[in-house]
Amino acid sequence: MLLEFLYAKIHRATVTDANLNYVGSITIDKNIMEKANMAEGQKVDILNINNGERFQTYIIAGTRGNKDFCLNGAAARKAQIGDKIIICAYAQLTPDEAKTFKPSIVQLNDCNEII
């Protein structure tokens, strides 16, 4: 049996842009994405701290070092520039794997710098 657990989280990212005229997704600075062990194309949940919105999308790798978090397409309607968001990815683990697995958690400050 497989159970779904938190695999990785980027905590309190600040939305830097919202691009409605795009196919969809969230663009994340590649440095931050890799630090959280997340991958381009990976499905993620986005939790908006400011307005309570919760939705799913997938990751597009952004430019290294830009500290960008851009919501694209329909996701752009779910948050405003400056909103704080949490990005969560999940993995399916066996009960035995889950006993020792530790998710990657990256916390950011107000400037999207890793703290």
Side-chain angles (χ1 to χ4, degrees):
M1 170 175 48
L2 295 175
L3 304 171
E4 199 162 13
F5 288 88
L6 179 68
Y7 166 78
K9 177 172 80 164
I10 299 172
H11 191 73
R12 294 188 63 82
T14 302
V15 175
T16 58
D17 198 5
N19 182 357
L20 186 61
N21 296 313
Y22 192 83
V23 179
S25 66
I26 183 168
T27 304
I28 300 175
D29 177 313
K30 192 164 179 125
N31 287 341
I32 297 169
M33 186 182 83
E34 289 174 351
K35 183 73 173 175
N37 292 320
M38 293 181 178
E40 187 161 23
Q42 185 172 14
K43 181 172 105 175
V44 290
D45 284 347
I46 308 294
L47 318 173
N48 188 323
I49 296 169
N50 292 76
N51 65 18
E53 288 280 357
R54 299 171 74 94
F55 56 95
Q56 292 181 336
T57 191
Y58 62 93
I59 297 171
I60 291 178
T63 303
R64 287 186 186 278
N66 274 7
K67 300 180 183 110
D68 286 338
F69 287 85
C70 178
L71 293 169
N72 302 301
R77 296 270 190 213
K78 302 288 188 179
Q80 296 180 5
I81 295 171
D83 280 1
K84 296 291 185 186
I85 57 173
I86 301 168
I87 303 159
C88 298
Y90 305 92
Q92 293 183 342
L93 306 172
T94 66
D96 284 340
E97 288 172 324
K99 289 177 186 175
T100 59
F101 180 78
K102 300 289 184 220
S104 299
I105 298 176
V106 173
Q107 292 190 325
L108 303 178
N109 66 17
D110 289 341
C111 297
N112 286 337
E113 298 167 333
I114 297 171
I115 54 175

